[in-house]
Amino acid sequence: MTPWTAVNSEGYEAPAALAVDTVVLTVRDGELLALAVRRDDGALALPGGFVGAGERPEATARRKLREKTGLRRSYVEELGAFADPGRDPRGWIPSIAHMALVPPDTVAADPNALWIRARGRRRLAYDHRAILRAAVARMEGKLWWSNIAVGILPGAFTMSEARRVYEAVAGLRYDGATFARDLKGTGLVVATGARRSEGRGRPASLYRFALRTPAWGAGHRKRVSAT
Amino acid sequence: MTPWTAVNSEGYEAPAALAVDTVVLTVRDGELLALAVRRDDGALALPGGFVGAGERPEATARRKLREKTGLRRSYVEELGAFADPGRDPRGWIPSIAHMALVPPDTVAADPNALWIRARGRRRLAYDHRAILRAAVARMEGKLWWSNIAVGILPGAFTMSEARRVYEAVAGLRYDGATFARDLKGTGLVVATGARRSEGRGRPASLYRFALRTPAWGAGHRKRVSAT
DNA sequence: GAAATAGTGTCTGTGAGACATTATGGG
DNA sequence: CCCATAATGTCTCACAGACACTATTTC
């Protein structure tokens, strides 16, 4: 295959296209999962596509996310640019990497899409393993300082549900009592007043995030260790 | 002026170019400063340029930094992509924004370059004010968790010098004794054993960063308030 | 009532912030 | 000698982590 090329109206070589690749993350059964797409040649890649002329890259990310999962209002944030020469064998194609967070019950609408372990060692096409690693690192770093988990947790959730998500993302175990105290202390969540019974045991109070848009909690001590 | 355009070999519209814009930061007289370049039309802009085919964007940033300041080995990190349509009137030109940190004695080699207040309200061309704001926010957020200040402080520095830089970046005042204790506690700096007399007062011990490459300190409490 | 899960109360170690005190130089 | 700055020591408050104990539900 001959690589794609482009020349601009000034006569200089230009990028052949601008791509967006998205790390779609969720938590299921205590594990951090990422969405991958099996290409025609069998290789796995992150969901992505080309930015259209006049389109914002985040809009491209949301468009592709909708195609693969059907979701319309997910948390999406930019990870950074991946533009090293040779990253895409098709030619000079910089990619703006994004990270999206989706609820655990999200089904892969695309038949070629599947969930893989975000911390696994699966091979991915292009430089997509580096992008995946960047997303996991970003997620770990921001978890306690923002309402980033809003994208994974449902509208109302129990402290135990939230704890399992936080544990999966951070790769740590938290004490239930301490976790609830600290998460409430961030000011990012509020009690709904409702309760939910989950099989055996005392019903749990339900909480929701005070904001469903990006926000930061008050200054709290960095979480470095856990039970 | 007619906008630049580009079409790739597949027949689709492509970006007219890939740009890099760099926020060059330093601290002088207790103030956080950024390098700006006066264009022919009189407007101020961040130093930047186009990424060459086969060039890594960070290499472009370093190349332009060298042209404007003569510096070769500065701390440079990526801020993110700025690619909204219409951000550049010349056409579809995404920009990979970078942040560079340079010592206070850096002179602007380019006669059109000047230092402006990073937190000031000067108008900048394109979307460069947004890029500048992103750089200041990144700097504030990372200061205590990394040796990012390595780019601004000289090879050997006193705790007072370091404190003035940290204060300018964070926009806060720190207690001298507490600052020294905490900075030493990060494990990012080591004492050289030498001392330096600065006019009146007891001579100060000199320190240097243990690493001059990007690194993170141990988990420490977030600095949210100060004296 | 037993088991399971939710939630409360409390103790402790650590570290940030503040500040008093001592040390050591220059004018 | 006086002043200025550096460095040390220490007190206190807040909070993370741990864990004992109570509460409320299902089986």
Side-chain angles (χ1 to χ4, degrees), chain B residues 57-183:
Chain B
E58 189 183 309
T60 311
R62 290 183 182 281
R63 175 164 58 83
K64 286 291 164 184
L65 181 63
R66 198 165 61 241
E67 290 174 14
K68 304 294 179 194
T69 66
L71 294 172
R72 287 180 168 278
R73 278 201 305 272
S74 304
Y75 179 89
V76 172
E77 78 170 47
E78 182 190 315
L79 276 178
F82 289 74
D84 283 4
R87 65 167 292 278
D88 192 319
R90 291 168 299 186
W92 183 10
I93 303 179
S95 176
I96 317 287
H98 285 71
M99 174 175 76
L101 305 181
V102 301
D105 55 7
T106 301
V107 289
D110 187 311
N112 291 316
L114 65 157
W115 292 101
I116 64 172
R117 279 203 281 267
R119 291 193 178 81
R121 301 180 178 283
R122 290 282 273 272
R123 289 181 68 88
L124 295 175
Y126 312 116
D127 52 359
H128 287 187
R129 252 187 73 88
I131 298 176
L132 178 56
R133 273 199 304 269
V136 172
R138 173 76 62 93
M139 188 77 192
E140 290 171 357
K142 284 187 74 168
L143 189 63
W144 273 100
W145 310 108
S146 72
N147 62 350
I148 191 172
V150 101
I152 293 182
L153 287 162
F157 52 86
T158 67
M159 281 291 159
S160 292
E161 287 175 335
R163 180 163 57 89
R164 279 188 288 271
V165 166
Y166 276 62
E167 286 177 342
V169 170
L172 299 170
R173 307 280 296 171
Y174 296 115
D175 174 82
T178 304
F179 176 89
R181 182 191 63 195
D182 294 349
L183 182 55

Side-chain angles (χ1 to χ4, degrees), chain A residues 133-221:
Chain A
R133 273 199 304 269
V136 172
R138 173 77 63 93
M139 188 76 191
E140 290 171 357
K142 284 187 73 168
L143 188 64
W144 274 101
W145 309 109
S146 72
N147 62 352
I148 191 172
V150 97
I152 293 181
L153 287 162
F157 51 86
T158 67
M159 279 292 157
S160 292
E161 287 175 336
R163 180 163 57 90
R164 280 188 288 272
V165 165
Y166 275 63
E167 287 177 342
V169 170
L172 298 170
R173 306 281 296 172
Y174 295 115
D175 174 83
T178 304
F179 177 90
R181 180 191 63 194
D182 293 349
L183 182 54
K184 285 184 227 173
T186 63
L188 294 170
V189 300
V190 292
T192 66
R195 288 144 64 90
R196 181 202 295 160
S197 192
E198 203 91 52
R200 262 196 279 275
R202 173 176 172 176
S205 298
L206 290 173
Y207 295 82
R208 63 178 174 80
F209 281 97
L211 296 166
R212 293 200 68 85
T213 45
W216 298 87
H220 278 271
R221 198 184 293 190

Side-chain angles (χ1 to χ4, degrees), chain B residues 175 177-178 181-182 195 199 202-203 220 223 225 227:
Chain B
D175 174 82
T178 304
R181 182 191 63 195
D182 294 349
R195 288 143 62 91
R202 174 176 172 176
H220 278 272
R223 312 286 302 224
S225 63
T227 307

